[in-house]
C-alpha cells in the first residue's frame, strides 16, 4: 500500500474561521495557489524559494495576496440575493511579470491582475508627495520624477468585469488554449467571451426548452480541450458528456461525440438518476482522456471510445446502502470535484469524514487519506484509512456508521508537475507533498 501517494507530508494548513473554502486552484507553474471562499475573498499563496540554509522548507506556501473579489448583491428586478461566494477560479497562462486570474460567483466573472511593486515615483511637478494638486502659481522650477525603492507590495486590481451574461447560476469557467477567450457555463447555457471584451458574449450552447416544464436535464460542468481551441466538453445531470466542435457551427447544439454508460437494470433504484449526475469533468493534460465524477464513482473515458468508460473507480461504494439517509440530509446532492496529477497517472477526488481518495491508473492501487487537524501535525506522514462495512472492525478501521457527513472534501487541486496537492476541508486548507528524504 505504501506507494508514493501515501508518503505525504503536511506542509501547512491555514484557517479561515469565518468562511468555507469553495474553490482551490494551482496556476500553470504551480508557484501560486489560489483559494476562493463563501465570503467572496480570494487568498493567493506563493511557494517559498528553496534556500541552501533551510532545505526542509522546500515547497512551503505562504500567503502572497488577499483581496475581496465579489460582494453580496441584490437583483431588484427578480427580488433575488446574489451571494458573494466564489464558485470557480481559473488562472490565465503567465505572459509577463504579472499574474492574471478569473474568478466567478453565481452571476459575474472578474479578471484580476496580481502584480508586485517595489519602487514608487517621487518628484511630481503638479502634485505634492502626498498626492494633493499644487497651485500652479507656486511652481517655479521643473522637476524630473524619479523611482525610489520601497517595501515590496503585492497589488490585486480588477481589470475586467464580465456581467449580465447569465440568467442562471454560473457553475464553471474555463480558459481556452488560445489564451484569448474563455467560456462560462450555467445550468442551461454556455457563453464564449473574449478576454478584452466585457459587454458581449456569444452563446455557444443553449439547452433551454421552449416550455420549461419539458426540462429534463441541466448542464453541470464544462471545460475546454487543453490543446485544441475549437473543442470543449460539457456534462449533464443525466450522466452524459457531450464533446462539441466550434468549427462545425456557431451554436454547438449538435455534439460531435456523446459519452454515456448504459445503466445496469439490476442496479436501478429510486436514487439512480440523482447519483448518475456528473458533478465534474476534466480533460487529462495530454488531451486524450476525460475524467468524470458522479456521486459514487470516478470514470475515465477515452475520447476515441464513446460506448463505455475505459476505467471506473469506486470512491465510496459503502455508501450505496446509505443513500436513503443521504437523500434526507441533502448530502446526495453534494458536488465533488476530481483532478489529475501532472502525468495523468493518478487521479484524486474527495469523500466524507475529511477523506480523499487516490487511484493509481497503472498499478490499480487506491488509497484513502484523511485531512484533519486532530491527526495531522506538520511534517507527519499520512496513514492510509480504511472503512469497514459490517462484520468485525479492526482497530485501525472506521465504521461506516460513524462517518461524519458534515466533513466533506469537495475541492482539491494537484500541482501541474510535482507531487504536491492542496485539499480544502471546509474552512481549512491542507497542503501535502511527497516525502522528501
Amino acid at each position: 500500500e505504501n506507494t508514493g501517494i501515501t508518503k505525504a507530508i503536511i506542509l501547512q494548513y491555514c484557517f479561515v474561521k469565518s468562511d468555507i473554502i469553495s474553490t482551490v486552484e494551482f496556476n500553470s507553474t504551480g508557484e501560486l495557489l489560489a483559494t476562493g471562499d463563501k465570503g467572496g475573498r480570494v487568498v493567493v499563496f506563493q511557494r517559498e524559494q528553496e534556500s541552501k540554509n533551510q532545505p526542509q522548507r522546500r515547497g512551503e506556501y505562504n500567503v502572497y495576496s488577499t483581496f475581496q473579489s465579489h460582494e453580496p448583491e441584490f437583483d431588484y428586478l427578480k427580488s433575488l440575493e446574489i451571494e458573494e461566494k466564489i464558485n470557480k477560479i481559473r488562472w490565465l497562462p503567465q505572459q509577463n511579470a504579472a499574474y492574471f486570474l478569473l474568478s466567478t460567483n453565481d452571476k459575474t466573472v472578474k479578471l484580476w491582475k496580481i502584480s508586485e511593486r517595489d519602487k514608487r515615483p517621487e518628484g511630481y511637478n503638479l502634485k505634492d508627495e502626498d498626492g494633493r494638486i499644487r497651485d500652479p502659481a507656486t511652481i517655479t522650477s521643473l522637476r524630473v520624477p524619479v523611482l525610489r525603492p520601497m517595501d515590496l507590495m503585492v497589488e490585486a486590481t480588477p481589470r475586467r468585469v464580465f456581467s449580465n451574461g447569465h440568467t442562471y447560476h454560473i457553475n464553471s469557467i474555463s480558459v481556452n488554449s488560445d489564451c484569448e477567450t474563455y467560456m462560462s457555463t450555467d445550468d442551461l447555457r454556455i457563453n464564449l467571451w473574449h478576454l478584452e471584451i466585457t459587454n458581449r458574449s456569444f452563446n455557444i450552447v443553449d439547452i433551454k426548452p421552449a416550455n420549461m416544464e419539458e426540462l429534463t436535464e441541466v448542464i453541470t460542468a464544462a471545460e475546454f480541450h487543453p490543446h485544441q481551441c475549437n473543442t470543449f466538453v460539457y456534462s449533464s445531470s443525466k450522466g452524459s458528456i457531450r464533446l462539441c466542435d466550434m468549427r462545425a457551427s456557431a451554436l454547438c447544439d449538435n455534439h460531435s461525440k456523446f459519452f454515456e454508460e448504459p445503466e445496469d437494470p439490476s442496479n436501478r433504484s429510486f436514487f439512480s438518476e440523482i447519483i448518475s449526475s456528473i458533478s465534474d469533468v476534466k480533460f487529462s493534460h495530454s488531451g486524450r482522456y476525460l475524467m468524470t465524477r458522479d456521486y459514487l464513482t470516478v470514470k475515465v473515458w477515452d475520447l476515441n471510445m464513446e460506448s463505455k468508460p475505459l476505467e471506473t473507480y469506486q470512491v465510496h461504494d459503502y455508501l450505496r446502502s446509505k443513500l436513503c439517509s443521504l437523500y434526507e440530509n441533502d448530502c446526495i446532492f453534494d458536488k465533488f470535484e476530481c483532478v489529475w496529477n501532472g502525468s495523468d497517472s493518478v487521479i484524486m477526488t474527495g469523500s466524507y469524514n475529511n477523506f480523499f481518495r487516490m487511484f493509481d491508473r497503472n498499478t490499480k492501487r487506491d488509497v484513502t487519506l484523511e485531512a484533519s487537524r486532530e491527526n495531522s501535525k506538520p511534517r507527519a506522514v499520512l496513514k492510509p484509512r480504511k472503512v469497514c462495512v459490517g462484520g468485525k472492525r479492526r482497530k485501525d478501521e472506521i465504521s461506516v456508521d460513524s462517518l461524519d457527513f458534515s466533513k466533506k472534501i469537495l475541492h482539491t487541486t494537484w500541482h501541474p508537475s510535482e507531487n504536491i496537492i492542496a485539499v480544502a476541508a471546509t474552512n481549512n486548507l491542507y497542503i501535502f507533498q511527497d516525502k522528501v528524504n
Side-chain angles (χ1 to χ4, degrees):
E1 271 299 283
N2 202 13
T3 63
I5 313 165
T6 63
K7 287 188 254 170
I9 291 184
I10 302 152
L11 282 177
Q12 174 188 18
Y13 35 73
C14 97
F15 307 113
V16 187
K17 288 191 173 68
S18 57
D19 293 308
I20 291 166
I21 297 170
S22 52
T23 184
V24 53
E25 187 80 7
F26 277 109
N27 75 337
S28 57
T29 62
E31 289 305 301
L32 297 183
L33 170 67
T35 64
D37 65 27
K38 278 197 163 178
R41 274 180 315 189
V42 172
V43 181
V44 179
F45 297 86
Q46 185 182 43
R47 194 176 187 189
E48 283 275 316
Q49 296 302 312
E50 194 171 347
S51 70
K52 291 194 175 88
N53 320 341
Q54 293 178 299
Q56 76 276 12
R57 283 180 68 89
R58 169 187 172 271
E60 284 202 13
Y61 284 81
N62 294 317
V63 176
Y64 180 61
S65 175
T66 303
F67 57 93
Q68 189 72 29
S69 175
H70 287 70
E71 301 280 357
E73 295 172 56
F74 192 80
D75 185 334
Y76 291 96
L77 287 174
K78 297 196 179 95
S79 292
L80 195 70
E81 278 186 59
I82 301 165
E83 63 174 348
E84 64 274 38
K85 175 190 163 202
I86 309 290
N87 291 342
K88 282 282 185 291
I89 288 172
R90 288 291 178 263
W91 291 92
L92 272 61
Q94 194 177 355
Q95 312 277 4
N96 52 33
Y99 301 97
F100 289 87
L101 63 82
L102 289 167
S103 64
T104 184
N105 67 349
D106 284 342
K107 296 287 179 194
T108 306
V109 184
K110 294 185 181 181
L111 174 67
W112 290 88
K113 177 186 180 182
I114 301 166
S115 53
E116 294 182 355
R117 210 168 61 167
D118 60 358
K119 291 184 176 66
R120 69 163 173 266
E122 284 182 7
Y124 285 108
N125 288 287
L126 299 178
K127 55 186 180 183
D128 289 330
E129 300 308 333
D130 53 7
R132 283 180 304 205
I133 301 295
R134 293 169 70 188
D135 179 3
T138 64
I139 301 172
T140 55
S141 61
L142 187 65
R143 295 195 289 180
V144 178
V146 291
L147 289 170
R148 298 240 185 270
M150 58 177 265
D151 289 340
L152 179 69
M153 204 166 100
V154 180
E155 292 178 315
T157 47
R159 297 308 300 269
R160 308 264 187 284
V161 177
F162 305 89
S163 52
N164 304 321
H166 289 273
T167 310
Y168 307 99
H169 290 347
I170 298 171
N171 56 44
S172 54
I173 48 177
S174 178
V175 180
N176 200 346
S177 58
D178 64 9
C179 300
E180 288 186 359
T181 55
Y182 76 91
M183 66 180 172
S184 56
T185 307
D186 67 27
D187 293 343
L188 298 178
R189 297 189 179 103
I190 301 175
N191 290 341
L192 181 70
W193 301 80
H194 194 285
L195 285 161
E196 299 292 327
I197 301 166
T198 58
N199 59 358
R200 70 172 183 269
S201 61
F202 294 98
N203 181 223
I204 52 174
V205 171
D206 187 349
I207 66 163
K208 185 183 178 189
N211 178 5
M212 280 295 269
E213 286 176 10
E214 293 167 9
L215 183 69
T216 58
E217 64 180 334
V218 294
I219 301 169
T220 54
E223 190 178 64
F224 270 119
H225 190 282
H227 315 303
Q228 298 165 9
C229 62
N230 55 284
T231 309
F232 68 93
V233 290
Y234 67 92
S235 58
S236 87
S237 56
K238 273 194 161 177
S240 59
I241 310 108
R242 291 169 175 85
L243 181 93
C244 300
D245 187 339
M246 291 192 290
R247 295 171 302 185
S249 66
L251 190 64
C252 301
D253 279 356
N254 296 320
H255 48 266
S256 308
K257 291 188 176 183
F258 182 79
F259 303 86
E260 187 177 46
E261 187 169 31
E263 192 191 12
D264 180 358
S266 62
N267 278 341
R268 178 99 189 124
S269 75
F270 170 76
F271 305 107
S272 293
E273 207 161 292
I274 304 171
I275 63 172
S276 67
S277 174
I278 292 172
S279 55
D280 196 16
V281 58
K282 292 267 170 57
F283 273 105
S284 62
H285 294 86
S286 67
R288 169 75 189 269
Y289 303 103
L290 271 177
M291 170 167 54
T292 58
R293 170 74 209 257
D294 57 41
Y295 191 66
L296 293 176
T297 67
V298 174
K299 297 185 173 89
V300 175
W301 302 77
D302 187 324
L303 284 193
N304 300 327
M305 186 170 78
E306 298 167 62
S307 56
K308 62 175 199 276
L310 199 62
E311 301 153 22
T312 300
Y313 301 98
Q314 300 295 334
V315 178
H316 36 217
D317 203 42
Y318 46 79
L319 295 183
R320 230 174 251 282
S321 59
K322 301 255 173 232
L323 292 177
C324 201
S325 55
L326 289 163
Y327 179 75
E328 285 166 5
N329 65 14
D330 278 352
C331 281
I332 202 166
F333 302 107
D334 284 335
K335 291 177 168 46
F336 291 96
E337 294 171 9
C338 52
V339 64
W340 300 88
N341 73 338
S343 61
D344 300 332
S345 60
V346 183
I347 54 185
M348 170 171 64
T349 190
S351 181
Y352 294 103
N353 207 66
N354 278 352
F355 288 169
F356 57 99
R357 303 270 284 135
M358 288 185 175
F359 303 94
D360 189 313
R361 297 179 59 214
N362 299 327
T363 63
K364 302 301 177 201
R365 281 183 176 178
D366 65 279
V367 66
T368 303
L369 300 170
E370 184 181 4
S372 74
R373 292 167 62 184
E374 289 75 41
N375 63 3
S376 302
K377 295 184 178 69
R379 313 210 162 273
V381 175
L382 284 182
K383 291 188 176 68
R385 302 300 308 263
K386 280 199 168 59
V387 178
C388 88
V389 190
K392 212 168 174 193
R393 185 169 70 87
R394 293 193 190 140
K395 93 171 175 327
D396 58 340
E397 290 182 336
I398 181 166
S399 160
V400 70
D401 296 315
S402 55
L403 294 173
D404 186 343
F405 292 106
S406 66
K407 293 178 177 174
K408 54 191 87 167
I409 289 178
L410 304 175
H411 316 288
T412 59
T413 182
W414 205 307
H415 189 289
S417 56
E418 294 181 44
N419 267 345
I420 299 176
I421 57 170
V423 173
T426 12
N427 56 358
N428 298 325
L429 176 70
Y430 293 85
I431 298 173
F432 303 104
Q433 80 165 51
D434 242 7
K435 192 171 173 183
V436 183
N437 294 322

